[in-house]
Amino acid sequence: MSHDLARAGVTALFGMAVSLLPLIVAAVYMLRPTERLLELLRPLSLATIFAAGNTLLSGVAAVLRRLPSLSTPDGLDVLAHGLSESVTPAFVACGFLAIAWLFAAVGMHRRV
C-alpha cells in the first residue's frame, strides 16, 4: 500500500487531506467537548465521505479508460493494480473517519 500512496495523484492526495480535517476536529473535541466542535464535525465528515467517493470514482474511471489497451496477458495485472490504487485513498479516508467518530464518542461521554 505504501507504493500506492507514493504514486497517488492530486485527487487522491486531496481526498486524503480532506479526511484529516474531521480527525483533527474530533481529537480537539475529545479533549475539549463543545457543541460548536460537534456541529463542525458533521459537515466535515460528510465532506470526507464525498472526497472518498470522488477519489474512488476518479481512480476507477482512469482504470476503465485504459481497459481497451489491456488485451495482453499482463493486462489483468495492470487492471488489478490500478483498482488497488483507486481503493487506497478511500480506504484511508474511511479509516480516518472511523477514528474521528471514536474520538467524538469519547468526547460525548466526557461531556455527559
Side-chain angles (χ1 to χ4, degrees):
M1 183 174 2
S2 63
H3 181 19
D4 293 340
L5 291 175
R7 295 183 45 191
V10 174
T11 304
L13 293 174
F14 174 75
M16 289 185 286
V18 167
S19 67
L20 284 173
L21 295 174
L23 184 62
I24 293 166
V25 170
V28 173
Y29 178 78
M30 181 176 63
L31 299 173
R32 294 180 174 211
T34 65
E35 189 63 33
R36 182 173 174 267
L37 285 172
L38 190 58
E39 288 173 1
L40 181 60
L41 184 57
R42 292 178 184 124
L44 288 176
S45 296
L46 192 57
T48 297
I49 292 167
F50 286 127
N54 180 47
T55 59
L56 178 63
L57 293 175
S58 70
V60 169
V63 170
L64 291 176
R65 188 175 54 230
R66 289 203 50 203
L67 195 58
S69 67
L70 301 178
S71 59
T72 64
D74 293 332
L76 189 57
D77 291 343
V78 173
L79 181 66
H81 184 76
L83 290 175
S84 76
E85 285 182 0
S86 300
V87 172
T88 300
F91 173 78
V92 170
C94 289
F96 284 167
L97 199 53
I99 294 168
W101 279 101
L102 288 172
F103 286 172
V106 171
M108 288 178 189
H109 179 71
R110 290 186 64 206
R111 194 161 183 226
V112 175

